[in-house]
Structure formats: structure tokens, C-alpha cells
Amino acid sequence: MSKDNFALSTGYLKKVVPLLMKHQVPATPTNYALWYTYVADSDTDLSWHINESIQATGTLSETQCEQLYQSHFADKKVKEADDFQQSLQALALEMGNTMEDTLKDTDTFQNTLDKTFSQLSRVGEETLSMDETIAVVRSAVKGSNQIRQSTSFFKNQLADAQREIARLKETLAQANEEALHDALTGIFNRRAFDSELGALANSPPPKGFSLLLCDLDHFKNFNDTYGHLMGDQVLKLTAKRLSDYCREGIQAFRYGGEEFALLVPNRQLKGACRVAETIRASIDKLVIKDKKTSKKLDNITVSIGVAQFDKGDSIRSMIARADAQLYEAKNLGRNRVMPIP
């Protein structure tokens, strides 16, 4: 490295550290790489996204940093990791099912052998002497015992393998929980929501922010009528529609089950309610069809409760107000925003 390049890199690093401190971003290697690239202005698209977020919210949260790093630096590695995890999950499921079937077959085989040799031990051959008959029976019984021991050992081995597979599934499930994206819909999950809401509450944007809690109406009935696979498609379509409104710092999350949440920076109650009403109307226009029959299914609607973050507010109280407004929307007939925009 030349002296000029070294001096330039040192200058960039001196700018990165104050930015990390200003926006309360942890000094991790990935965040260094992200902000170093921003300071160096070597990725115009990345710089645009960071500037847009800072303009909308006044900061760049840890969740947003990770998302930008994945999209600009780690796309290929992340995709490979996701593909590997999916393959591993499929393998674990397939092996688990195979082990169960094999254990059942082994039990059946052992029972058949026991029954066969039990019958054989009672068979007498007129052409054989008593001593010869006894020798045949003893040999058969001995063989049966050996097979029983062999199958018993095999069953133990399979049981050990099953326990290992169960442990692997648990590890994968935990890894999914620790991820920031929902596995089904692809949008941010509850863990990311908690982190992002905490960051906004600790350092609110200049004009404050609001929370939208959205719940699909009569979703249980829809699942019972059309099945969970179709229900999953509805959740994906809803998440996609919510993602379409993730502009100017707005972020969408799967809050749990059929419930979603949106964080809307620089919008107080009235402005956030207008955003919520636009989203409600958009989801109401969704057309759901059964791909197998091309039959149009029941319309999907959503109820939305809105709350703004007030001075002296806590995360718990803000969520409680939004949840109360959501409950009121449900109580008044669903497919509406509360409070009324």
C-alpha cells in the first residue's frame, strides 16, 4: 500500500468512528465495513440508502445496518447459507421419517422371526432322531437369539441417530429464531421489531414516530375453510403488500401469527392513520385465487390500530395503546383503522 492510500484509508477510519458513536451503532467488523464504504463514497446505491434513512429517522439502526450489509456485501454468502440450511432441514426431516419407518420395519421383522422360530421349535421330523431334532431346534433358537441381538443393537443405533437429528432440528429452529427475518414471509420478524422499536424509542426521530398493529380479519376461519397452505400464501401476499409501503424509513414486521406491525418515523398520529388507511384499502383489493381450481376465494381484510410515541412514553404503553385501538377496530366490525383518520 502506498503512503497516499494509507493516508486516505486512515482519514476514512477517522470519520467512521465518530459516525458510529453519533448513531449509536456497535463497532462490529460488518458495521465498520458498511460505514467505511459510506465514508469513502465507493457505493452510490449504499450511500443513497444510508442518507435516506438518516434523513427519515435521524439515525441508522443496528437492524438497518445489518440489512444494508447483507444486501450490499453478503448477498451471495447469505444465499448460500440459506440454501444450505434449507437443504439441511429437508435432509433432517427425510432422515427422521426414514428412521421411524426403519424402526417399525425392524420391530415387524423381529416379531416375524420370533414367531417363525417358535413354530419351528415345535415341529418334529419323523425322519430325524430325537437327538437330531433337538439339535436343529437348538440351532434355530440360537440363530434367533443372534438375530434378536443384532436387531436390538441396530435399533439402539437408529435411536441414537434419531436423537441427534432431533438435536439438529432444535439447533436449526433456534438459529431461525435468532435471525432477523421471518422464514415464511421474508420480512423482518418479531426479534427485529423489538430491536428497532427500542432503538427508535431511545433516540426518536425529529418528528417522532408511530406504530401500526395490523391483524388479518377472520384468518382462522379462512385457514379452516381453505387450508393452511392457502393461509400461508395469504400471509406472504400481505407481507408483500406491506413491503410496498416501506418508503421514507417505514419498516414492516411479522409481529406473530396473522399479525403484522409497521414502524412509521416522522409521522404523528394523523399522518400515520392516513398511511394505515391506504394500506387497509390496498389489502382489501387483494384478489385471492385457488391455483388448482382458479376459483376466487373470500376477500382478505385487515384491521389496524395506530399509536404515536409520546413524550415520556414507554415501549409497553405505546404497544398497549396500539393494541387497544386494534381491538376497537375489531369490535366495530373489522376492516377499518382506529382511531379514525
Side-chain angles (χ1 to χ4, degrees):
M1 179 183 293
S2 66
K3 290 184 178 179
D4 290 342
N5 288 337
F6 181 79
L8 190 62
S9 299
T10 302
Y12 290 153
L13 284 175
K14 288 181 178 179
K15 294 179 180 179
V16 168
V17 175
L19 284 173
L20 294 177
M21 296 176 64
K22 176 182 177 181
H23 298 292
Q24 297 181 345
V25 176
T28 63
T30 56
N31 287 338
Y32 264 120
L34 182 72
W35 286 89
Y36 182 94
T37 305
Y38 171 73
V39 168
D41 199 21
S42 57
D43 186 330
T44 55
D45 186 53
L46 173 65
S47 298
W48 182 86
H49 278 96
I50 292 179
N51 287 331
E52 183 188 43
S53 177
I54 293 175
Q55 184 177 2
T57 66
T59 187
L60 192 69
S61 68
E62 184 178 357
T63 302
Q64 291 172 309
C65 285
E66 181 172 339
Q67 184 183 30
L68 287 173
Y69 179 82
Q70 290 180 356
S71 61
H72 287 79
F73 295 93
D75 269 351
K76 183 177 179 181
K77 291 183 179 179
V78 170
K79 184 178 185 304
E80 289 175 352
D82 288 343
D83 291 344
F84 174 74
Q85 181 168 324
Q86 291 175 6
S87 299
L88 202 56
Q89 287 174 323
L91 177 62
L93 179 61
E94 182 179 354
M95 288 184 65
N97 293 335
T98 302
M99 292 300 179
E100 290 178 5
D101 293 340
T102 304
L103 285 173
K104 292 177 182 177
D105 292 342
T106 302
D107 285 335
T108 301
F109 178 61
Q110 183 170 321
N111 291 336
T112 301
L113 285 175
D114 289 343
K115 182 178 179 180
T116 300
F117 286 120
S118 177
Q119 293 172 345
L120 180 61
S121 65
R122 296 194 298 269
V123 173
E125 291 287 347
E126 294 182 359
T127 57
L128 296 177
S129 66
M130 181 60 67
D131 290 340
E132 289 173 329
T133 301
I134 292 174
V136 170
V137 171
R138 286 177 175 171
S139 176
V141 172
K142 181 180 179 181
S144 177
N145 289 334
Q146 290 175 342
I147 292 175
R148 185 182 295 110
Q149 292 175 0
S150 176
T151 54
S152 177
F153 175 77
F154 184 51
K155 284 175 64 178
N156 290 335
Q157 292 295 99
L158 290 177
D160 289 342
Q162 269 193 313
R163 284 191 290 271
E164 179 63 20
I165 290 173
R167 186 194 65 79
L168 177 61
K169 287 181 180 178
E170 184 178 347
T171 301
L172 290 174
Q174 183 178 354
N176 284 334
E177 290 180 0
E178 293 175 353
L180 292 176
H181 288 82
D182 177 60
L184 176 65
T185 63
I187 64 175
F188 285 129
N189 60 16
R190 177 63 182 271
R191 181 171 180 264
F193 170 80
D194 291 339
S195 174
E196 193 68 13
L197 180 56
L200 285 173
N202 288 331
S203 180
K207 298 180 181 179
F209 69 97
S210 294
L211 166 65
L212 279 58
L213 288 183
C214 317
D215 191 83
L216 291 171
D217 297 325
H218 301 298
F219 187 69
K220 183 180 184 302
N221 292 339
F222 186 94
N223 262 344
D224 292 341
T225 303
Y226 301 110
H228 290 282
L229 289 178
M230 189 60 66
D232 287 349
Q233 291 303 313
V234 169
L235 292 173
K236 291 178 183 178
L237 284 173
T238 302
K240 175 63 172 62
R241 186 56 56 93
L242 294 178
S243 297
D244 293 339
Y245 291 91
C246 289
R247 301 183 294 268
E248 299 178 349
I250 296 176
Q251 296 182 83
F253 307 81
R254 188 177 179 192
Y255 194 69
E258 66 270 25
E259 195 168 4
F260 297 84
L262 288 95
L263 291 174
V264 185
N266 289 317
R267 295 280 207 295
Q268 296 192 0
L269 192 61
K270 288 186 178 180
C273 285
R274 287 194 291 269
V275 172
E277 177 58 27
T278 302
I279 291 173
R280 182 208 62 78
S282 177
I283 292 176
D284 191 26
K285 294 177 182 178
L286 282 174
V287 177
I288 311 296
K289 287 186 177 181
D290 188 335
K291 292 182 179 179
K292 294 182 180 179
T293 63
S294 296
K295 179 183 176 182
K296 183 179 177 181
L297 307 183
D298 295 342
N299 280 357
I300 292 297
T301 63
V302 65
S303 300
I304 305 176
V306 186
Q308 73 177 33
F309 188 78
D310 295 325
K311 185 177 181 180
D313 227 340
S314 69
I315 291 175
R316 185 186 296 272
S317 61
M318 182 189 190
I319 292 177
R321 288 202 308 277
D323 197 51
Q325 294 292 346
L326 174 59
Y327 180 82
E328 184 68 10
K330 295 281 188 181
N331 194 43
L332 292 174
R334 296 177 170 81
N335 192 22
R336 65 186 66 227
V337 173
M338 290 297 294
I340 298 173

